[in-house]
Amino acid sequence: MPLIRIDAVEGRSDAEVKLILGTTHSAVLAAFGVHLRDRYQVYTPHPKANMVIWDTGLEIPRTDQFLLFTVFSKQRTEALKVRLYEELTQRLQSAASIAPSDVMVCIIENSAADWSFGNGEPQFLTGKLS
Amino acid sequence: MPLIRIDAVEGRSDAEVKLILGTTHSAVLAAFGVHLRDRYQVYTPHPKANMVIWDTGLEIPRTDQFLLFTVFSKQRTEALKVRLYEELTQRLQSAASIAPSDVMVCIIENSAADWSFGNGEPQFLTGKLS
Amino acid sequence: MPLIRIDAVEGRSDAEVKLILGTTHSAVLAAFGVHLRDRYQVYTPHPKANMVIWDTGLEIPRTDQFLLFTVFSKQRTEALKVRLYEELTQRLQSAASIAPSDVMVCIIENSAADWSFGNGEPQFLTGKLS
């Protein structure tokens, strides 16, 4: 946790996807300070015609490199969320030459009882995770 | 914002998808009164065997035209949500001959700090959006 | 409701998907006691390179049989959620030989006004559902 879904325009190689997923994980570690093995990622490529991403008038240019991050997480402070946006954009630019204007993030929060990471257990309730 | 995911049975042409996405955007504009360029849409076609959509006993018939809308949005009033359901079904029926019985919507709300539309900025916190 | 998304590594036959979806529905019925026809499921297979699922140090082994459940639901008690985790893992193991260590669940809650199951109506507000 967080669980991160990444939607993108199709066309990347496995190696490019691997770089994006690894860079995303490094940003989550830096921003949220989670466990090194706290990594849950699903990358979904889409035909270009199936994604329409504009900018609410913010004049943010989009290219086919665009990445939409949907982040499912327990509650985090505003400061941590802002840190995530910064780490993600900086690291994706450095490591994968993805422009900050091509990175959009939407966070959805839930609670301790809402996660089971396996074995039918609610690990945040049983105290295995905190 | 909202960010809208649409899941459907596979088989539509790009032109049909374009019509659905455009009609969906017109419904969002009419219901929520958002900025003309507030458009964030991802359409995902699925093999028929991978979607099972029933009706909780409401006797709502489903066809292969079925559309599932998952809408991620900041908080909206009940009245605005109901308006969205009405605009979506009416406009999809008029523009794309999709029956209102084939339109399901699930809304998930979040908060101002949960959005970055690009550039690593939380635009609802910095005041660029309100 | 709930609306359940299942993400998995690609490679299952339609019959295998059908078994997983049917078993999932039986778990939801047992755990939440919902209407028999309260079934809304989307199964999405992914190339192996596009899913990275670790374990937050919990030493939970993952295989290509792994299933990620994202459950969108109105509010449920902690007890009901724990029951869902137990029913899902037990039934998937029994019926489909999927190890409990390969079952992860993330629940996202919303409210009565956030659902329209068809016809442009908010069925939890109009009293058709409760």
Side-chain angles (χ1 to χ4, degrees), chain A residues 17-55:
Chain A
V17 171
K18 190 175 180 180
L19 179 61
I20 287 169
L21 295 180
T23 303
T24 297
H25 186 50
S26 78
V28 171
L29 291 176
F32 288 173
V34 295
H35 191 286
L36 271 171
R37 291 189 54 79
D38 192 338
R39 184 170 173 178
Y40 305 97
Q41 303 175 316
V42 182
Y43 179 91
T44 308
H46 301 269
K48 192 170 176 177
N50 291 1
M51 289 186 78
V52 179
I53 301 293
W54 289 0
D55 69 352

Side-chain angles (χ1 to χ4, degrees), chain B residues 7 50 56 62 81 85 100, chain C residues 5 40 43 113-114 117 119:
Chain B
D7 294 277
N50 291 1
T56 324
R62 311 294 189 180
K81 292 173 186 177
Y85 306 147
Chain C
R5 295 181 180 276
Y40 305 96
Y43 178 91
D114 296 324
F117 296 91
N119 298 330

Side-chain angles (χ1 to χ4, degrees), chain A residues 6-12 20 43-48 51 64-68, chain B residues 42:
Chain A
I6 305 175
D7 293 278
V9 175
E10 64 191 359
R12 285 191 173 91
I20 287 169
Y43 179 91
T44 308
H46 301 269
K48 192 170 176 177
M51 289 186 78
D64 289 356
Q65 297 290 99
F66 176 80
L67 298 173
L68 168 61
Chain B
V42 182

Side-chain angles (χ1 to χ4, degrees), chain A residues 100-115:
Chain A
S101 51
D102 269 330
V103 176
M104 175 171 161
V105 190
C106 168
I107 298 176
I108 306 294
E109 291 181 333
N110 62 6
S111 302
D114 297 323
W115 295 90

